[in-house]
Amino acid sequence: MSIPTKQSAVIFERSNGPLIYKTDWPVVQPKDLKPGEALVKITHSGVCHTDLHALKGDWPLDTKLPLVGGHEGVGIIVAIGAGTTTERKVGERVGIKWLADSCLDCEVCRNGQEATCSKAICSGFAVDGTFQQYGVSYVKHLTPVPEGLDPTQAAPILCAGVTVWKAIKQSNTNPGDYILISGAGGGLGHLALQYAAAIGLRPIAVDTGEEKRKLCMSLGAETFIDFRQSKDLKADIRAASGGLGPHVSISFLFLHTLNSFSHKKNPRVYVFDGSLSL
């Protein structure tokens, strides 16, 4: 396979600086890959709000500069570094996630908290990401993408989908449990709603507007509650969950919306023998 030496990429050279479209951005060549690295020909990439934080530099962490952003990439492995031991193969379709690499050997990694590993490396932040045609990532954290899955759907799952699934997985719910999803019609919430319904939970969707109601009900919500129209949000939620309240509540509302949701209506909703994730 012929691999070019130059490619198109979107970069920025300083925090809060302009985005620059480059047509001569260098492509790392196979001979220059380190053990554990792979070169991926990126075919699709999502865009996440975290990419905006990376651009603005408004997190208390330094980004690589200049930086190619992006961490929701789908592509084909075209080369693997010499000396690498891995099950990944050249020609395999994979996903590049926010977590590009971690040690997988420390206590937090072994407990399933790889994102908090002291050696964690993040795509589109500490290393160049997916807003380019060819990107280098780490074989330990490349995710195989099944051929039957549309890459335009797979890309956002690699960040938004992983985020919401982790929240549901850690809620320790069981099939038949009620799950309250605030912001259920949004980018994160609508994925959480589908996952919850798929594993047999009983989703109560909280959002606002007729468009969001139709979307949530079509994706598996058992009940939709419009928090702007509700006269007694606490009572409505309890009524939708058998009178005791949901077993778990997960919120994907932005802070200003969450403040309106919680303070204006003052729902004081508590989960029944369960957990709350924000």
Side-chain angles (χ1 to χ4, degrees):
M1 178 182 295
S2 176
I3 297 174
T5 58
K6 303 292 183 181
Q7 63 172 323
S8 297
V10 177
I11 74 163
F12 59 90
E13 297 177 334
R14 57 183 174 84
S15 295
N16 217 24
L19 291 174
I20 304 170
Y21 178 69
K22 306 279 285 188
T23 58
D24 60 351
W25 192 251
V27 177
V28 175
Q29 296 299 295
K31 65 181 178 60
D32 298 320
L33 292 172
K34 299 174 183 177
E37 293 181 342
L39 182 65
V40 179
K41 182 178 182 180
I42 299 168
T43 61
H44 297 76
S45 180
V47 180
C48 174
H49 196 269
T50 299
D51 295 316
L52 182 60
H53 288 296
L55 171 63
K56 288 187 172 182
D58 57 5
W59 281 2
L61 298 168
D62 293 328
T63 63
K64 170 188 176 295
L65 291 173
L67 179 70
V68 178
H71 56 269
E72 297 180 355
V74 176
I76 307 296
I77 296 176
V78 295
I80 295 175
T84 299
T85 300
T86 179
E87 294 181 352
R88 305 280 69 79
K89 299 177 181 178
V90 171
E92 185 177 11
R93 190 166 71 149
V94 294
I96 297 174
K97 308 181 296 298
W98 168 249
L99 184 61
D101 198 23
S102 71
C103 76
L104 293 183
D105 192 47
C106 66
E107 180 178 353
V108 293
C109 281
R110 293 196 303 271
N111 286 330
Q113 304 292 336
E114 302 96 322
T116 59
C117 174
S118 63
K119 297 180 180 179
I121 299 173
C122 296
S123 302
F125 200 89
V127 294
D128 287 335
T130 58
F131 297 159
Q132 56 183 334
Q133 293 174 297
Y134 290 84
V136 174
S137 198
Y138 301 84
V139 295
K140 286 188 296 184
H141 283 278
L142 288 174
T143 299
V145 177
E147 287 301 325
L149 180 59
D150 184 342
T152 63
Q153 296 181 3
I157 289 175
L158 294 165
C159 181
V162 170
T163 299
V164 302
W165 174 245
K166 183 67 177 292
I168 294 173
K169 184 173 72 172
Q170 290 195 317
S171 69
N172 295 318
T173 47
N174 298 302
D177 285 351
Y178 289 104
I179 179 171
L180 177 73
I181 302 175
S182 303
L188 294 170
H190 89 289
L191 290 173
L193 181 56
Q194 293 175 77
Y195 293 156
I199 62 173
L201 300 180
R202 304 179 68 178
I204 302 167
V206 177
D207 215 310
T208 186
E210 180 62 16
E211 183 178 349
K212 296 293 182 70
R213 186 194 70 80
K214 290 180 179 179
L215 174 65
C216 290
M217 296 306 293
S218 72
L219 295 179
E222 185 170 305
T223 307
F224 179 85
I225 299 172
D226 190 318
F227 69 84
R228 294 190 187 277
Q229 300 299 322
S230 174
K231 298 296 190 294
D232 188 334
L233 196 55
K234 179 172 68 174
D236 288 344
I237 291 173
R238 286 186 171 172
S241 52
L244 294 175
H247 297 83
V248 62
S249 177
I250 300 177
S251 178
F252 301 109
L253 295 172
F254 283 113
L255 183 59
H256 64 85
T257 308
L258 183 61
N259 286 339
S260 172
F261 169 46
S262 59
H263 296 159
K264 182 179 178 181
K265 298 292 185 179
N266 190 28
R268 296 182 63 82
V269 177
Y270 297 100
V271 295
F272 168 65
D273 191 27
S275 60
L276 172 67
S277 298
L278 297 175

